[in-house]
Amino acid sequence: MIDADVSRSPVVWAKVCGLATVQGAIGLMWVIYNLYLPSLLKQLGFPPQLSIGLLIVENILAIALEPIMGGLSDRARIWVGSRFPLIILGVVLSAASFILIPAVMVIGNTTAVLHWLLPVVMVIWAIAMTIFRSPALALLGQYAFESRLPQAASILMLMGALAGAIGVFAAPSKLILSLGPTMAFAIGSIVALLTAMLLRLLDAQSPNPLSAAPAAAPLVQSIRSLLPALGRIFGAGVGIALGSRLLNTLLNQVQPSPGSLTGVFSLALLLATLPAGWLAVKIGNRSAMLTGFSILAGLLGLMTLVESLRSQVGMTLLLGIAFSPINNGTIPFAFSLVPPDRGGLGVGVFFGGSALAATLFGMAINQFGSVTPLPATLGGILAFLIAGLCVYSRRWQPELKEYK
């Protein structure tokens, strides 16, 4: 039974906005972490390369943990009727370990033997973040009908893009750094706890659009049946994440103003996110994503050929616009390839693929120091084409009985 609020609208916007605040809190914590990571390690005498090594370790763990936690949230929804036990557990652990990072730095400064606690706590925090990200974002499937998922997802991606832009533009980055690590990490922890509480309150106000949790299918049989679909979701996660990293690398290297184009790209992505969600509802999420992949691949091929700053800015604006339907469409795409009772697993597998891409990229940077424009361009084109092939696939067929 669908409540009256949902019968008037295929999207429960209050709950979607609540979920978007959690997405923004996740992004804010990662921005704070990445801004302070090199300096915190340096203060305790660790080499600069350790920051890359830590990110690689955290992403390796996420490759397995994201699907596991997403799958466990599916089981929790069947067993206890809600994904929130995992979400609350993950948020509390991540907030506690996040505020411990600057505290452990102080301890490490006073006691040299304990300075290794800092990277340990950082890894613990990254693990805690994986506990609740996939379960939380899987709630989107309960807050919107499938036909409107891209539009609902655009609200989440807008908040994520706003948080990410803080780390791109100089003024907000300097503001966070001026707060000092203790205050900045405390703010990140408090924001995470408050947004989780807000989401829980909004979720409890009325029933969700979907009916009661479906009956559990035999786990081994269901997972085996879903392997082809999960493989496509994982491949799309790898391609999109790797392509976006290579694209960002290229924008940071294009002459005559290295690094200036990343802000242009972030601004274009912010402005295009909501219109792209509306467009995806009109033409279909898969069509919108495939259009974005095609434009991205073509523009990347031309990016290194133009020399004037005006042309580069124009092409970067188009790159941000083209990436917006892909950014919006990732979670709806994952939902489209799995049955309703495996939504958390689908989202987790996508983020697992993203973590693999981050691991490979980090290893390349650690090995070679940087990626030059030509490999970044060719690698980005290939990554987006692979992701496009994964998206260009048949959706989950509901007539298969083992999925019900």
Side-chain angles (χ1 to χ4, degrees), residues 105-193:
M105 184 199 70
V106 174
I107 296 173
N109 269 326
T110 57
T111 308
V113 178
L114 298 178
H115 76 298
W116 278 101
L117 278 177
L118 180 62
V120 171
V121 172
M122 287 176 169
V123 171
I124 291 173
W125 170 75
I127 292 174
M129 292 287 283
T130 65
I131 294 176
F132 77 93
R133 183 169 71 159
S134 294
L137 295 184
L139 289 171
L140 187 66
Q142 299 170 224
Y143 296 163
F145 289 160
E146 183 182 5
S147 61
R148 297 291 292 276
L149 276 174
Q151 191 172 21
S154 69
I155 305 297
L156 273 65
M157 297 306 138
L158 179 64
M159 288 297 294
L162 282 170
I166 294 174
V168 173
F169 294 102
S173 296
K174 290 180 179 178
L175 175 61
I176 291 178
L177 291 172
S178 69
L179 295 173
T182 301
M183 180 62 70
F185 280 76
I187 290 173
S189 296
I190 293 170
V191 169
L193 290 172

Coordinates of all heavy atoms in Angstrom, one line a residue, residues 105-193:
M105 N 46.7 12.5 16.4 CA 47.9 13.3 15.9 C 48.6 14.0 17.1 O 49.8 14.0 17.2 CB 47.4 14.3 14.9 CG 48.6 15.1 14.3 SD 48.1 16.7 13.5 CE 47.6 17.6 15.0
V106 N 47.8 14.5 18.0 CA 48.4 15.1 19.2 C 49.1 14.1 20.1 O 50.2 14.3 20.5 CB 47.3 15.8 20.1 CG1 47.8 16.4 21.4 CG2 46.6 16.9 19.3
I107 N 48.5 12.9 20.2 CA 49.1 11.9 21.0 C 50.4 11.4 20.3 O 51.5 11.2 21.0 CB 48.2 10.7 21.2 CG1 47.0 11.1 22.0 CG2 48.9 9.5 21.8 CD1 45.9 10.0 22.0
G108 N 50.4 11.3 19.0 CA 51.6 10.9 18.3 C 52.7 11.9 18.4 O 53.9 11.6 18.3
N109 N 52.3 13.2 18.5 CA 53.4 14.2 18.6 C 54.1 14.2 19.9 O 55.2 14.5 20.1 CB 52.7 15.6 18.4 CG 52.8 16.1 17.0 OD1 53.7 15.8 16.3 ND2 51.7 16.8 16.6
T110 N 53.3 13.8 21.0 CA 53.9 13.7 22.3 C 54.6 12.4 22.6 O 55.5 12.3 23.4 CB 52.8 14.0 23.4 OG1 51.8 13.0 23.2 CG2 52.2 15.4 23.2
T111 N 54.1 11.3 22.0 CA 54.7 10.0 22.2 C 55.0 9.4 20.9 O 54.1 8.9 20.1 CB 53.7 9.1 23.0 OG1 53.2 9.8 24.1 CG2 54.3 7.8 23.4
A112 N 56.3 9.3 20.6 CA 56.8 8.9 19.2 C 56.4 7.4 19.0 O 56.1 7.1 17.8 CB 58.3 9.0 19.1
V113 N 56.3 6.6 20.0 CA 56.0 5.2 19.8 C 54.6 5.0 19.3 O 54.3 4.1 18.6 CB 56.1 4.4 21.2 CG1 55.7 3.0 21.0 CG2 57.6 4.6 21.7
L114 N 53.7 6.0 19.6 CA 52.3 5.9 19.2 C 51.9 6.6 17.9 O 50.8 6.7 17.6 CB 51.4 6.4 20.4 CG 51.5 5.6 21.7 CD1 50.6 6.3 22.7 CD2 51.1 4.2 21.5
H115 N 52.9 7.2 17.2 CA 52.6 7.9 16.1 C 52.0 7.1 14.9 O 51.3 7.6 14.1 CB 53.8 8.7 15.5 CG 54.8 7.9 14.8 ND1 55.5 6.8 15.4 CD2 55.3 7.9 13.5 CE1 56.3 6.3 14.6 NE2 56.2 6.9 13.4
W116 N 52.2 5.8 15.0 CA 51.6 4.9 14.0 C 50.1 4.7 14.2 O 49.4 4.2 13.3 CB 52.3 3.5 14.0 CG 53.6 3.5 13.2 CD1 54.8 3.6 13.7 CD2 53.7 3.5 11.8 NE1 55.7 3.6 12.7 CE2 55.1 3.5 11.5 CE3 52.8 3.4 10.7 CZ2 55.6 3.5 10.2 CZ3 53.3 3.4 9.5 CH2 54.6 3.5 9.2
L117 N 49.6 5.2 15.3 CA 48.1 5.2 15.5 C 47.4 6.0 14.5 O 46.2 5.7 14.2 CB 47.8 5.7 16.9 CG 47.9 4.7 18.1 CD1 47.6 5.4 19.4 CD2 47.0 3.5 17.9
L118 N 48.0 7.1 14.0 CA 47.3 8.0 13.1 C 46.9 7.2 11.8 O 45.7 7.3 11.5 CB 48.2 9.2 12.7 CG 47.6 10.2 11.7 CD1 46.3 10.8 12.3 CD2 48.6 11.3 11.4
P119 N 47.8 6.6 11.0 CA 47.3 5.9 9.9 C 46.4 4.8 10.2 O 45.5 4.5 9.4 CB 48.6 5.4 9.2 CG 49.7 5.4 10.3 CD 49.3 6.5 11.2
V120 N 46.5 4.1 11.3 CA 45.6 3.1 11.7 C 44.2 3.6 11.9 O 43.2 3.0 11.4 CB 46.0 2.4 13.0 CG1 45.0 1.4 13.5 CG2 47.3 1.6 12.8
V121 N 44.0 4.7 12.6 CA 42.7 5.4 12.8 C 42.1 5.8 11.5 O 40.9 5.8 11.2 CB 42.8 6.5 13.8 CG1 41.5 7.3 13.9 CG2 43.2 6.0 15.2
M122 N 43.0 6.3 10.6 CA 42.5 6.8 9.3 C 41.9 5.6 8.5 O 40.9 5.7 7.9 CB 43.7 7.4 8.5 CG 44.1 8.8 9.0 SD 45.5 9.4 8.1 CE 45.6 11.1 8.7
V123 N 42.5 4.5 8.5 CA 42.0 3.3 7.8 C 40.7 2.8 8.5 O 39.7 2.5 7.8 CB 43.0 2.1 7.8 CG1 42.4 0.9 7.3 CG2 44.2 2.5 7.0
I124 N 40.7 2.9 9.8 CA 39.4 2.5 10.6 C 38.3 3.4 10.1 O 37.1 3.0 9.9 CB 39.6 2.6 12.1 CG1 40.6 1.4 12.5 CG2 38.3 2.5 12.8 CD1 41.0 1.5 14.0
W125 N 38.6 4.7 10.0 CA 37.5 5.7 9.6 C 37.0 5.3 8.2 O 35.8 5.3 7.9 CB 38.1 7.1 9.6 CG 37.1 8.1 8.9 CD1 35.9 8.5 9.4 CD2 37.3 8.6 7.6 NE1 35.4 9.4 8.5 CE2 36.1 9.4 7.4 CE3 38.2 8.5 6.6 CZ2 35.9 10.1 6.2 CZ3 38.0 9.2 5.4 CH2 36.9 10.0 5.2
A126 N 38.0 5.0 7.3 CA 37.6 4.7 5.9 C 36.7 3.4 5.9 O 35.7 3.3 5.1 CB 38.8 4.5 5.0
I127 N 37.0 2.5 6.7 CA 36.2 1.2 6.8 C 34.8 1.6 7.3 O 33.8 1.1 6.8 CB 36.9 0.2 7.7 CG1 38.2 -0.3 7.1 CG2 35.9 -1.0 8.0 CD1 39.0 -1.2 8.0
A128 N 34.7 2.5 8.4 CA 33.4 2.9 8.9 C 32.6 3.6 7.9 O 31.4 3.4 7.8 CB 33.7 3.8 10.1
M129 N 33.2 4.3 7.0 CA 32.4 5.0 5.9 C 31.8 4.0 5.0 O 30.7 4.3 4.5 CB 33.4 6.0 5.2 CG 33.8 7.2 6.0 SD 32.6 8.4 6.3 CE 32.5 9.2 4.7
T130 N 32.5 2.9 4.7 CA 31.9 1.9 3.8 C 30.7 1.2 4.4 O 29.9 0.6 3.7 CB 33.0 0.9 3.4 OG1 33.4 0.1 4.6 CG2 34.2 1.5 2.8
I131 N 30.6 1.2 5.8 CA 29.5 0.5 6.4 C 28.2 1.1 6.0 O 27.2 0.4 5.8 CB 29.7 0.5 7.9 CG1 30.9 -0.3 8.3 CG2 28.4 0.0 8.6 CD1 31.2 -0.3 9.8
F132 N 28.1 2.4 5.9 CA 26.8 3.1 5.7 C 26.6 3.7 4.3 O 25.4 4.1 4.0 CB 26.5 4.1 6.8 CG 27.2 5.4 6.6 CD1 26.6 6.5 6.0 CD2 28.5 5.6 7.1 CE1 27.3 7.7 5.8 CE2 29.2 6.8 7.0 CZ 28.5 7.9 6.3
R133 N 27.6 3.9 3.5 CA 27.4 4.6 2.3 C 26.4 3.9 1.3 O 25.4 4.4 0.9 CB 28.7 4.9 1.5 CG 28.4 5.7 0.3 CD 29.7 6.3 -0.3 NE 30.5 5.3 -1.0 CZ 31.4 5.6 -1.9 NH1 31.6 6.8 -2.3 NH2 32.2 4.6 -2.4
S134 N 26.7 2.6 1.0 CA 25.8 1.9 0.1 C 24.4 1.7 0.7 O 23.4 1.9 0.0 CB 26.5 0.5 -0.3 OG 27.7 0.7 -1.0
P135 N 24.3 1.2 2.0 CA 23.0 1.1 2.6 C 22.2 2.4 2.5 O 21.0 2.4 2.3 CB 23.3 0.7 4.0 CG 24.6 0.0 3.9 CD 25.4 0.7 2.9
A136 N 22.9 3.6 2.8 CA 22.1 4.8 2.8 C 21.7 5.2 1.4 O 20.5 5.6 1.2 CB 23.1 5.9 3.3
L137 N 22.5 5.1 0.4 CA 22.1 5.5 -1.0 C 21.1 4.5 -1.6 O 20.4 4.9 -2.5 CB 23.4 5.6 -1.8 CG 24.3 6.7 -1.4 CD1 25.5 6.9 -2.4 CD2 23.6 8.1 -1.3
A138 N 21.1 3.3 -1.1 CA 20.1 2.3 -1.5 C 18.7 2.7 -1.1 O 17.7 2.2 -1.7 CB 20.4 0.9 -1.0
L139 N 18.6 3.6 -0.1 CA 17.3 4.1 0.3 C 16.6 4.9 -0.8 O 15.4 5.0 -0.8 CB 17.4 5.0 1.5 CG 17.8 4.4 2.8 CD1 18.1 5.4 3.9 CD2 16.7 3.4 3.3
L140 N 17.4 5.4 -1.8 CA 16.8 6.1 -2.9 C 15.7 5.3 -3.6 O 14.7 5.8 -4.1 CB 17.8 6.6 -3.9 CG 17.4 7.5 -5.0 CD1 16.9 8.9 -4.4 CD2 18.5 7.8 -6.0
G141 N 16.0 4.0 -3.7 CA 15.0 3.1 -4.4 C 13.7 3.0 -3.7 O 12.7 2.6 -4.2
Q142 N 13.6 3.4 -2.4 CA 12.4 3.4 -1.6 C 11.7 4.7 -1.6 O 10.6 4.8 -1.1 CB 12.7 2.9 -0.2 CG 13.3 1.5 -0.1 CD 13.8 1.2 1.3 OE1 14.9 0.6 1.5 NE2 13.1 1.6 2.4
Y143 N 12.4 5.7 -2.1 CA 11.9 7.1 -2.0 C 11.4 7.6 -3.3 O 10.8 8.7 -3.4 CB 13.0 8.1 -1.5 CG 13.4 7.8 -0.1 CD1 14.6 8.3 0.4 CD2 12.7 7.0 0.8 CE1 15.1 8.1 1.7 CE2 13.2 6.8 2.1 CZ 14.3 7.3 2.5 OH 14.8 7.1 3.8
A144 N 11.6 6.9 -4.4 CA 11.1 7.3 -5.7 C 10.8 6.1 -6.6 O 11.4 5.1 -6.5 CB 12.2 8.2 -6.4
F145 N 9.8 6.3 -7.5 CA 9.5 5.3 -8.5 C 10.6 5.2 -9.5 O 11.3 6.2 -9.7 CB 8.2 5.6 -9.2 CG 7.0 5.4 -8.3 CD1 5.8 6.0 -8.6 CD2 7.0 4.6 -7.1 CE1 4.7 5.9 -7.8 CE2 5.9 4.4 -6.3 CZ 4.7 5.1 -6.7
E146 N 10.8 4.1 -10.1 CA 11.9 3.9 -11.0 C 12.0 5.0 -12.1 O 13.1 5.4 -12.5 CB 11.8 2.5 -11.6 CG 13.0 2.2 -12.5 CD 12.9 0.8 -13.2 OE1 11.9 0.2 -13.0 OE2 13.9 0.4 -13.8
S147 N 10.8 5.3 -12.7 CA 10.8 6.3 -13.8 C 11.3 7.7 -13.4 O 11.7 8.4 -14.3 CB 9.4 6.4 -14.4 OG 8.5 6.9 -13.4
R148 N 11.3 8.0 -12.1 CA 11.8 9.3 -11.6 C 13.1 9.2 -10.9 O 13.5 10.2 -10.3 CB 10.7 9.9 -10.8 CG 9.4 10.2 -11.5 CD 9.5 11.3 -12.5 NE 9.7 12.5 -11.9 CZ 8.7 13.3 -11.4 NH1 7.5 12.9 -11.5 NH2 9.0 14.5 -10.9
L149 N 13.7 8.1 -10.8 CA 14.9 7.9 -10.1 C 16.0 8.9 -10.5 O 16.7 9.5 -9.7 CB 15.5 6.5 -10.1 CG 14.9 5.5 -9.1 CD1 15.4 4.1 -9.4 CD2 15.2 5.9 -7.7
P150 N 16.3 9.1 -11.8 CA 17.3 10.0 -12.2 C 17.1 11.4 -11.7 O 18.0 12.1 -11.3 CB 17.3 10.0 -13.7 CG 16.7 8.7 -14.1 CD 15.7 8.4 -13.0
Q151 N 15.8 11.9 -11.7 CA 15.5 13.2 -11.1 C 15.8 13.3 -9.6 O 16.3 14.3 -9.1 CB 14.1 13.6 -11.5 CG 13.8 15.1 -11.2 CD 12.4 15.4 -11.8 OE1 11.6 14.6 -12.0 NE2 12.2 16.7 -12.0
A152 N 15.4 12.2 -8.9 CA 15.6 12.2 -7.5 C 17.1 12.1 -7.2 O 17.6 12.8 -6.3 CB 14.9 11.0 -6.9
A153 N 17.8 11.3 -8.0 CA 19.3 11.2 -7.8 C 20.0 12.5 -8.1 O 21.1 12.7 -7.5 CB 19.8 10.1 -8.7
S154 N 19.4 13.3 -8.9 CA 20.1 14.6 -9.2 C 20.2 15.5 -8.0 O 21.1 16.3 -7.8 CB 19.4 15.4 -10.3 OG 18.1 15.8 -9.9
I155 N 19.3 15.4 -7.0 CA 19.3 16.1 -5.8 C 20.5 15.6 -5.0 O 21.3 16.4 -4.4 CB 18.0 16.0 -5.0 CG1 16.8 16.4 -5.8 CG2 18.1 16.8 -3.7 CD1 16.8 17.8 -6.2
L156 N 20.7 14.3 -4.9 CA 21.9 13.8 -4.2 C 23.2 14.2 -4.8 O 24.1 14.6 -4.1 CB 21.8 12.2 -4.2 CG 21.0 11.6 -3.1 CD1 19.5 11.9 -3.2 CD2 21.1 10.1 -3.1
M157 N 23.2 14.1 -6.1 CA 24.5 14.4 -6.8 C 24.8 15.9 -6.7 O 26.0 16.3 -6.7 CB 24.4 14.0 -8.3 CG 24.2 12.5 -8.4 SD 25.6 11.6 -7.6 CE 24.6 10.2 -6.9
L158 N 23.7 16.8 -6.7 CA 24.0 18.2 -6.5 C 24.6 18.5 -5.2 O 25.6 19.2 -5.1 CB 22.6 18.9 -6.6 CG 22.7 20.5 -6.4 CD1 23.5 21.1 -7.5 CD2 21.3 21.1 -6.3
M159 N 24.2 17.8 -4.1 CA 24.8 18.0 -2.8 C 26.2 17.4 -2.8 O 27.1 18.1 -2.2 CB 24.0 17.3 -1.7 CG 22.7 18.0 -1.4 SD 22.9 19.6 -0.7 CE 23.7 19.2 0.9
G160 N 26.4 16.3 -3.4 CA 27.8 15.8 -3.5 C 28.7 16.7 -4.3 O 29.9 16.9 -3.9
A161 N 28.2 17.3 -5.4 CA 29.0 18.2 -6.2 C 29.3 19.4 -5.4 O 30.4 20.0 -5.5 CB 28.3 18.5 -7.5
L162 N 28.4 19.9 -4.6 CA 28.6 21.1 -3.8 C 29.7 20.9 -2.8 O 30.6 21.7 -2.6 CB 27.3 21.5 -3.1 CG 26.3 22.3 -3.9 CD1 25.0 22.4 -3.1 CD2 26.8 23.7 -4.3
A163 N 29.7 19.7 -2.2 CA 30.7 19.3 -1.2 C 32.1 19.2 -1.9 O 33.1 19.6 -1.4 CB 30.4 18.0 -0.5
G164 N 32.1 18.5 -3.1 CA 33.3 18.3 -3.8 C 33.9 19.6 -4.3 O 35.1 19.8 -4.4
A165 N 33.0 20.6 -4.6 CA 33.5 21.9 -5.1 C 34.3 22.6 -4.1 O 35.2 23.5 -4.4 CB 32.4 22.8 -5.6
I166 N 34.0 22.3 -2.8 CA 34.8 23.0 -1.7 C 36.3 22.7 -1.8 O 37.1 23.5 -1.5 CB 34.3 22.5 -0.3 CG1 32.8 23.0 -0.1 CG2 35.2 23.0 0.8 CD1 32.2 22.4 1.1
G167 N 36.6 21.4 -2.2 CA 38.0 21.1 -2.4 C 38.6 21.6 -3.7 O 39.9 21.5 -3.8
V168 N 37.8 22.0 -4.6 CA 38.4 22.5 -5.9 C 38.7 24.0 -5.9 O 39.7 24.4 -6.3 CB 37.3 22.2 -7.0 CG1 37.8 22.8 -8.3 CG2 37.2 20.7 -7.2
F169 N 37.8 24.8 -5.3 CA 37.9 26.2 -5.3 C 38.8 26.7 -4.1 O 38.7 26.1 -3.0 CB 36.6 26.9 -5.3 CG 35.8 26.7 -6.5 CD1 34.7 25.8 -6.6 CD2 36.1 27.4 -7.7 CE1 34.0 25.6 -7.7 CE2 35.4 27.2 -8.9 CZ 34.3 26.3 -8.9
A170 N 39.6 27.6 -4.3 CA 40.7 28.0 -3.3 C 40.1 28.6 -2.1 O 40.5 28.3 -1.0 CB 41.6 29.0 -4.0
A171 N 39.1 29.5 -2.2 CA 38.5 30.2 -1.0 C 37.9 29.2 0.0 O 38.3 29.3 1.2 CB 37.5 31.2 -1.5
P172 N 37.0 28.3 -0.4 CA 36.5 27.4 0.7 C 37.5 26.5 1.2 O 37.5 26.1 2.4 CB 35.4 26.7 0.0 CG 35.6 26.8 -1.5 CD 36.3 28.2 -1.6
S173 N 38.5 26.0 0.4 CA 39.5 25.2 0.9 C 40.4 25.9 1.9 O 40.7 25.3 3.0 CB 40.4 24.7 -0.3 OG 39.7 24.0 -1.2
K174 N 40.7 27.1 1.7 CA 41.5 27.9 2.6 C 40.7 28.1 3.9 O 41.3 28.1 5.0 CB 41.9 29.3 2.0 CG 43.0 29.1 0.9 CD 43.3 30.5 0.4 CE 44.4 30.4 -0.7 NZ 44.7 31.7 -1.3
L175 N 39.4 28.3 3.8 CA 38.6 28.5 5.0 C 38.6 27.3 5.9 O 38.8 27.4 7.1 CB 37.1 28.8 4.6 CG 36.1 28.9 5.7 CD1 36.5 30.0 6.7 CD2 34.7 29.1 5.2
I176 N 38.5 26.1 5.3 CA 38.6 24.8 6.1 C 39.9 24.7 6.7 O 40.1 24.3 7.9 CB 38.2 23.6 5.2 CG1 36.7 23.7 4.8 CG2 38.5 22.3 5.9 CD1 36.3 22.6 3.8
L177 N 41.0 24.9 5.9 CA 42.3 24.8 6.5 C 42.6 25.8 7.6 O 43.4 25.5 8.5 CB 43.4 25.0 5.4 CG 43.4 23.8 4.3 CD1 44.3 24.2 3.2 CD2 43.9 22.5 5.0
S178 N 42.0 27.0 7.5 CA 42.2 28.0 8.5 C 41.5 27.6 9.9 O 41.9 28.1 10.9 CB 41.6 29.3 8.1 OG 40.2 29.3 8.0
L179 N 40.5 26.7 9.8 CA 39.9 26.2 11.0 C 40.8 25.4 11.9 O 40.6 25.4 13.1 CB 38.6 25.4 10.7 CG 37.5 26.2 10.0 CD1 36.4 25.2 9.6 CD2 36.9 27.3 10.9
G180 N 41.8 24.8 11.3 CA 42.6 23.8 12.1 C 42.0 22.4 12.1 O 40.8 22.3 11.9
P181 N 42.8 21.4 12.2 CA 42.3 20.0 12.1 C 41.3 19.7 13.1 O 40.3 19.0 12.8 CB 43.5 19.2 12.2 CG 44.6 20.0 12.9 CD 44.3 21.4 12.5
T182 N 41.4 20.1 14.4 CA 40.5 19.7 15.4 C 39.1 20.3 15.1 O 38.1 19.5 15.2 CB 40.9 20.3 16.8 OG1 42.2 19.7 17.1 CG2 40.0 19.8 17.9
M183 N 39.0 21.6 14.8 CA 37.7 22.2 14.5 C 37.1 21.6 13.2 O 35.9 21.3 13.2 CB 37.8 23.7 14.4 CG 36.5 24.4 14.1 SD 35.3 24.2 15.4 CE 36.0 25.2 16.7
A184 N 37.9 21.4 12.2 CA 37.4 21.0 10.9 C 36.9 19.5 11.0 O 35.8 19.2 10.5 CB 38.5 21.0 9.8
F185 N 37.6 18.7 11.7 CA 37.2 17.3 11.8 C 36.0 17.2 12.7 O 35.1 16.3 12.5 CB 38.3 16.4 12.3 CG 39.3 16.0 11.2 CD1 40.2 16.9 10.7 CD2 39.3 14.7 10.7 CE1 41.1 16.5 9.7 CE2 40.2 14.3 9.7 CZ 41.1 15.2 9.2
A186 N 35.9 18.0 13.8 CA 34.7 18.0 14.6 C 33.5 18.5 13.9 O 32.4 17.9 14.0 CB 35.0 19.0 15.8
I187 N 33.6 19.5 13.0 CA 32.5 19.9 12.2 C 32.0 18.8 11.3 O 30.8 18.5 11.1 CB 32.9 21.1 11.4 CG1 33.0 22.4 12.3 CG2 31.8 21.4 10.3 CD1 33.5 23.6 11.6
G188 N 33.0 18.1 10.6 CA 32.6 17.0 9.8 C 31.9 15.9 10.5 O 30.9 15.3 10.1
S189 N 32.3 15.6 11.7 CA 31.6 14.5 12.6 C 30.2 15.0 13.0 O 29.3 14.2 12.9 CB 32.5 14.2 13.8 OG 33.7 13.7 13.5
I190 N 30.1 16.2 13.4 CA 28.8 16.7 13.8 C 27.8 16.7 12.7 O 26.6 16.3 12.8 CB 28.9 18.1 14.5 CG1 29.7 18.0 15.8 CG2 27.6 18.7 14.7 CD1 30.1 19.3 16.4
V191 N 28.3 17.2 11.5 CA 27.4 17.3 10.3 C 26.9 15.9 10.0 O 25.7 15.7 9.6 CB 28.1 17.9 9.2 CG1 27.3 17.7 7.9 CG2 28.3 19.4 9.4
A192 N 27.8 14.9 10.0 CA 27.4 13.5 9.7 C 26.3 13.0 10.6 O 25.3 12.4 10.2 CB 28.6 12.6 9.7
L193 N 26.5 13.2 11.9 CA 25.5 12.8 12.9 C 24.2 13.5 12.7 O 23.1 12.8 12.8 CB 26.1 13.0 14.3 CG 27.2 12.1 14.7 CD1 27.8 12.6 16.1 CD2 26.8 10.6 14.8

